[in-house]
């Protein structure tokens, strides 16, 4: 009996024809078995699988992908500088979710940064050559040209959060509006009356929705919405520091801060401590993301948990469905999905 690793007649890699001959079936039958077609009897499938094992046949996935007009690869595109990707937990959690969703597939994942005009131009050329089957796009800004470019190229794409209420691409997001409301309602319930908000980048729709939720929660609690208590940030630690300094100068009487990310809250906390403000005695502090940073801060940070890893999995699942969907793009357009996942307030000692 033949053993594993038997070479083909040519002395090289076994061929599909040799597997067919060993199994006593046609080449097309072998192809159907390898591609998982149900149109094969169990006896025939067993014979082909035995021949594959005996010969040590390895399917040529590149040739199969080419024949099917696909690459068996998707790209995770990040329109941000690499430094931000590697310092903010949001991105690592997202990547973990994407990887989990791809673990049982043959898809390869490409990580592509497109934070500069030059990188975007290079990406456009790469995608125009159809070197990937689909794109996951995270951290999308309102004026980002990448989503429209993907639509023009008719490349399946899913983005992490819509660019606006009128988004046309499939997106997966957390409930930014509801999460902000949870944060402010919690602070109000603790007796805080002068609640500041350090925003994220306001060209990001999710950050805008957090501001909306902040305002609405204050109004529902009967509090005046003081625009002087809202300071723009950029989701970064440095942005949190700068915003906190500006808020203390403008409204030194503030007794609570809702920050648009845990990283931003960490920057705000430094400034509060330098100013002699005790947390939570003098100023309560709430972040957003419920990242490892929140758990390791002193005191531990109350934070709105958004299921980032789950978002990454959901984005990938939706993209794989679009990649597998071979109907005309005009038909697919009618089925674009806007998925919104629930948030949860995790209470800790900072509030």
């Amino acid at each position: 009996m033949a053993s594993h690793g038997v070479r083909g007649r040519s002395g090289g890699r076994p061929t599909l024809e040799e597997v067919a001959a060993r199994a006593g079936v046609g080449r097309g039958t072998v192809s159907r078995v390898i591609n998982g077609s149900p149109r094969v009897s169990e006896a025939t499938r067993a014979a082909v699988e035995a021949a594959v094992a005996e010969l040590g046949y390895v399917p040529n996935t590149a040739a199969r992908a080419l024949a099917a007009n696909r690459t068996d690869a998707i790209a995770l595109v990040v329109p941000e500088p690499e430094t931000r990707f590697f310092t903010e937990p949001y991105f690592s959690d997202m990547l973990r979710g994407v990887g989990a969703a791809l673990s049982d597939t043959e898809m390869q994942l490409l990580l592509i940064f497109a934070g500069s005009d030059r990188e975007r131009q290079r990406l456009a050329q790469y995608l125009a050559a159809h070197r990937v089957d689909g794109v996951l796009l995270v951290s999308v800004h309102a004026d980002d040209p990448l989503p429209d470019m993907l639509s023009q190229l008719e490349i399946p794409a899913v983005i992490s959060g819509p660019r606006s209420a009128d988004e046309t691409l499939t997106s997966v997001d957390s409930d930014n509006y509801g999460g902000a409301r949870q944060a402010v309602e919690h602070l109000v319930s603790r007796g805080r009356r002068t609640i500041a908000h350090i925003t994220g980048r306001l060209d990001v729709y999710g950050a805008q929705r957090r501001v909306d939720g902040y305002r609405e929660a204050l109004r529902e609690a009967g509090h005046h919405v003081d625009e002087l208590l809202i300071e723009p940030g950029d989701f970064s630690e440095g942005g949190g520091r700068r915003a906190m300094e500006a808020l203390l100068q403008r409204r030194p009487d503030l007794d609570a801060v809702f920050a648009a990310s845990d990283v931003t809250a960490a920057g705000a906390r430094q400034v509060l401590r330098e100013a002699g403000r005790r947390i939570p005695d003098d100023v309560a502090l709430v972040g957003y993301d419920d990242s490892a940073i929140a758990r390791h801060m002193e005191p531990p940070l109350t934070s709105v948990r958004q299921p980032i890893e789950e978002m990454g999995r959901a984005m990938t699942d939706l993209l794989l469905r679009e990649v597998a969907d071979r109907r005309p793009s005009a038909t697919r357009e009618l089925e674009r999905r806007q998925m919104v996942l629930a948030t949860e307030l995790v209470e800790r000692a900072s509030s």
Side-chain angles (χ1 to χ4, degrees), residues 124-285:
Q125 295 172 350
Y126 187 82
L127 295 179
H130 291 278
R131 294 182 178 177
V132 295
D133 293 325
V135 171
L136 298 168
L137 187 57
V138 301
S139 189
V140 184
H141 305 287
D143 60 350
D144 197 321
L146 290 176
D148 291 334
M149 179 184 74
L150 293 170
S151 293
Q152 291 167 4
L153 293 172
E154 295 193 344
I155 294 176
V158 178
I159 59 178
S160 63
R163 290 165 290 172
S164 72
D166 302 319
E167 182 58 67
T168 56
L169 288 176
T170 297
S171 70
V172 176
D173 203 359
S174 68
D175 183 5
N176 292 288
Y177 178 83
R181 284 174 55 98
Q182 289 174 310
V184 176
E185 288 167 358
H186 167 72
L187 291 168
V188 169
S189 73
R190 295 299 174 93
R192 307 293 171 160
R193 299 196 58 82
T194 311
I195 303 170
H197 178 40
I198 302 175
T199 77
R201 287 188 56 163
L202 291 176
D203 61 347
V204 174
Y205 185 61
Q208 297 171 24
R209 294 297 288 156
R210 291 177 199 179
V211 176
D212 292 342
Y214 160 84
R215 288 193 173 110
E216 185 59 26
L218 288 177
R219 281 192 286 264
E220 286 195 358
H223 289 213
H224 169 64
V225 179
D226 185 350
E227 296 299 320
L228 293 178
L229 285 168
I230 302 175
E231 182 65 21
D234 59 4
F235 295 115
S236 73
E237 184 174 353
R241 284 189 60 90
R242 290 186 293 273
M244 194 69 252
E245 288 169 353
L247 285 167
L248 285 177
Q249 287 181 359
R250 200 161 60 228
R251 290 299 305 267
D253 60 326
L254 62 83
D255 62 4
V257 177
F258 164 45
S261 76
D262 294 342
V263 176
T264 294
R269 168 184 166 277
Q270 293 172 10
V271 172
L272 288 169
R273 286 199 157 181
E274 290 165 3
R277 306 294 178 94
R278 296 168 302 167
I279 302 172
D281 306 67
D282 302 322
V283 180
L285 183 62

Side-chain angles (χ1 to χ4, degrees), residues 18 34 60 77 90 115 126 137 160 184 202 261 314 325 341:
E18 288 167 349
I34 290 173
N60 187 338
V77 176
Y90 173 89
Y126 187 82
L137 187 57
S160 63
V184 176
L202 291 176
S261 76
D325 187 351
L341 304 181

Side-chain angles (χ1 to χ4, degrees), residues 2-78:
S3 62
H4 289 287
V6 173
R7 292 188 176 274
R9 294 189 188 116
S10 62
R13 178 174 173 168
T15 66
L16 197 69
E17 289 78 6
E18 288 167 349
V19 172
R22 176 65 62 93
V25 299
R27 186 180 187 279
T29 300
V30 175
S31 181
R32 283 192 290 275
V33 171
I34 290 173
N35 287 290
S37 171
R39 296 187 297 112
V40 181
S41 70
E42 285 304 314
T44 299
R45 187 183 306 281
V48 171
E49 289 175 349
V52 166
E54 290 170 6
L55 291 173
Y57 174 75
V58 178
N60 187 338
T61 55
R64 284 164 54 198
L66 185 62
N69 193 28
R70 66 177 195 266
T71 65
D72 283 344
I74 64 172
L76 175 63
V77 176
V78 184

Side-chain angles (χ1 to χ4, degrees), residues 84-85 87-94 96 263 291-293 308:
R84 187 179 170 205
F85 180 88
T87 56
E88 294 190 22
Y90 173 89
F91 294 105
S92 58
D93 289 347
M94 180 69 70
R96 188 158 47 246
V263 176
S291 64
I293 289 173
I308 302 171

